[in-house]
Amino acid sequence: MKALILVGGFGTRLRPLTLSVPKPLVDFANKPMILHQIEALKAVGVTEVVLAINYQPEVMLNFLKEFETKLGIKITCSQETEPLGTAGPLALARDKLVDDTGEPFFVLNSDVISEYPFKEMIEFHKSHGGEASLMVTKVDEPSKYGVVVMEESTGQVERFVEKPKLFVGNKINAGIYLLDPCVLERIQLKPTSIEKEVFPNIAAEKKLYAMVLPGFWMDVGQPRDYITGLRLYLDSLKKRSSPKLALGSYIVGNVIVDETAKIGEGCLIGPDVAIGPGCVIESGVRLSRCTVMRGVRVKKHACVSGSIIGWHSTVGQWARVENMTILGEDVHVCDEIYSNGGVVLPHKEIKSSILKPEIVM
């Protein structure tokens, strides 16, 4: 089987992290986002992953080469010279996706974190006999999204309603599809939307089916959702009694700590924290609802909550970093500084407090 991951553009919503690496390579729970997907695809027998990309393909490929050998899966790029929307890239990658087997292929949105129930999806796809399957997820506020209206018992999709004013349902497109090769004949090589143009046509012919995604789902393409996604991901590890979760008297709730990280005495860590490789957390530090990426040092008695600390940054002694502060790569927050929602570009030194959310160039 094959899979296409829609990597797309510049990752502007996750700046300043995406100023250092393409968005799919930004760490989520201590490994690049895209790796969560590739590992789950490999587990259900996918042998080749095609990345649809229009930005820095060489950076992506160089990085993923080591995982090609490690995971034993072929990873190639299909590069757009102009943005092609969410369906155009499928037409562009047609030759890479279609072979003699006639097997369906997966299409994934690279920002989506979930438990990736690909095995169940393959079974569902085979059982309904349509051309295409999509995952849907239930949300509390459907008016912010495009809603999928479906026949409950069979999963047959009737129609799509964009940002409905009146309640028509609470299931939205989760950005995970399984498509028969014949779907490619419906797509032209031009900027096209799979959600607004291709799927409604298949639904009109009653050949599109939706499966409700079990477990959690989050589009982690922006900071607030990234932090929420981390909570949901760690919660799902907890439900599965995963050995990845850290244990210890200083741990509160769900926390993952890379084995190469060092944690000092008298710290309190959690809930919902990821500490990356090579991090040094000095004594008396308080961390909650945050990600501390590779090579970060958090000095004595600092407090970090609801924030993302980018690679190789430093948080000074007695500093307080909170409220969706995002430090890009190699940012140094001096001792006793307060950051309330500061978004700091890479390679900066912060010598005075950031009292209200702002971007520090």
Side-chain angles (χ1 to χ4, degrees):
M1 280 187 87
K2 297 185 178 182
L4 179 86
I5 301 179
L6 296 166
V7 173
F10 302 114
T12 46
R13 295 178 306 162
L14 262 190
R15 281 181 187 161
L17 302 169
T18 48
L19 295 172
S20 300
V21 296
K23 183 171 56 176
L25 300 185
V26 170
D27 295 306
F28 177 86
N30 289 355
K31 65 180 166 200
M33 284 185 201
I34 201 163
L35 219 51
H36 291 273
Q37 299 184 331
I38 293 174
E39 287 175 359
L41 288 165
K42 166 73 182 165
V44 292
V46 169
T47 52
E48 183 175 346
V49 175
V50 181
L51 308 176
I53 190 165
N54 61 20
Y55 174 62
Q56 292 184 321
E58 45 301 317
V59 181
M60 288 281 289
L61 279 180
N62 291 343
F63 176 85
L64 290 166
K65 277 289 164 247
E66 67 167 296
F67 292 102
E68 244 190 345
T69 19
K70 225 184 247 177
L71 297 170
I73 191 168
K74 186 177 171 190
I75 301 171
T76 57
C77 265
S78 168
Q79 191 185 357
E80 307 164 30
T81 47
E82 56 162 346
L84 290 171
T86 49
L90 278 72
L92 188 66
R94 178 181 314 229
D95 296 344
K96 295 181 191 280
L97 294 171
V98 176
D99 51 26
D100 318 334
T101 61
E103 284 284 312
F105 57 89
F106 284 102
V107 177
L108 277 73
N109 210 325
S110 71
D111 296 351
V112 167
I113 290 286
S114 76
E115 284 167 18
Y116 307 120
F118 295 143
K119 189 167 167 285
E120 295 84 334
M121 195 171 189
I122 294 168
E123 288 162 7
F124 173 72
H125 187 76
K126 287 181 175 156
S127 71
H128 65 63
E131 283 183 17
S133 303
L134 80 151
M135 284 274 180
V136 292
T137 184
K138 292 179 179 173
V139 290
D140 296 336
E141 284 187 63
S143 61
K144 294 198 306 199
Y145 304 92
V147 172
V148 181
V149 182
M150 55 191 265
E151 216 285 302
E152 291 298 323
S153 55
T154 61
Q156 188 176 321
V157 175
E158 293 167 10
R159 60 199 166 100
F160 295 83
V161 183
E162 197 54 43
K163 297 185 176 157
K165 296 276 184 286
L166 298 169
F167 184 84
V168 288
N170 64 345
K171 297 180 192 71
I172 65 162
N173 178 349
I176 301 172
Y177 319 128
L178 187 54
L179 311 177
D180 282 348
C182 63
V183 170
L184 292 171
E185 290 159 25
R186 298 173 177 271
I187 304 170
Q188 292 176 312
L189 183 49
K190 60 175 194 185
T192 321
S193 160
I194 198 165
E195 303 85 358
K196 293 179 179 150
E197 298 172 62
V198 181
F199 282 164
N201 292 339
I202 305 176
E205 293 176 26
K206 301 192 177 351
K207 291 179 181 171
L208 177 64
Y209 289 80
M211 171 182 160
V212 179
L213 183 81
F216 77 100
W217 175 88
M218 201 71 216
D219 176 330
V220 293
Q222 51 192 356
R224 196 167 294 281
D225 296 336
Y226 177 105
I227 298 279
T228 304
L230 182 66
R231 175 175 61 80
L232 297 172
Y233 173 82
L234 294 174
D235 194 41
S236 127
L237 291 184
K238 173 80 171 170
K239 284 181 181 142
R240 289 179 285 172
S241 309
S242 169
K244 289 181 189 168
L245 289 172
L247 301 167
S249 55
Y250 58 91
I251 299 284
V252 186
N254 302 329
V255 174
I256 49 172
V257 180
D258 187 89
E259 56 196 16
T260 60
K262 294 185 171 60
I263 295 179
E265 292 185 358
C267 290
L268 189 57
I269 293 174
D272 308 322
V273 172
I275 297 174
C279 289
V280 177
I281 310 297
E282 295 184 3
S283 58
V285 164
R286 175 76 180 102
L287 303 177
S288 65
R289 301 187 326 283
C290 64
T291 286
V292 180
M293 293 184 182
R294 184 181 58 252
V296 163
R297 179 178 285 265
V298 182
K299 296 186 177 174
K300 292 176 185 169
H301 307 293
C303 174
V304 179
S305 71
S307 297
I308 302 173
I309 310 298
W311 311 271
H312 307 290
S313 292
T314 316
V315 177
Q317 297 187 34
W318 296 100
R320 188 177 182 96
V321 172
E322 62 186 27
N323 190 23
M324 281 295 137
T325 290
I326 305 165
L327 305 185
E329 182 180 18
D330 179 43
V331 167
H332 302 282
V333 175
C334 294
D335 293 353
E336 299 181 28
I337 290 293
Y338 173 56
S339 170
N340 172 20
V343 173
V344 185
L345 274 66
H347 316 298
K348 304 289 298 179
E349 187 176 23
I350 301 297
K351 295 178 179 170
S352 55
S353 289
I354 301 168
L355 300 177
K356 60 180 198 305
E358 62 175 301
I359 296 171
V360 178
M361 312 286 277

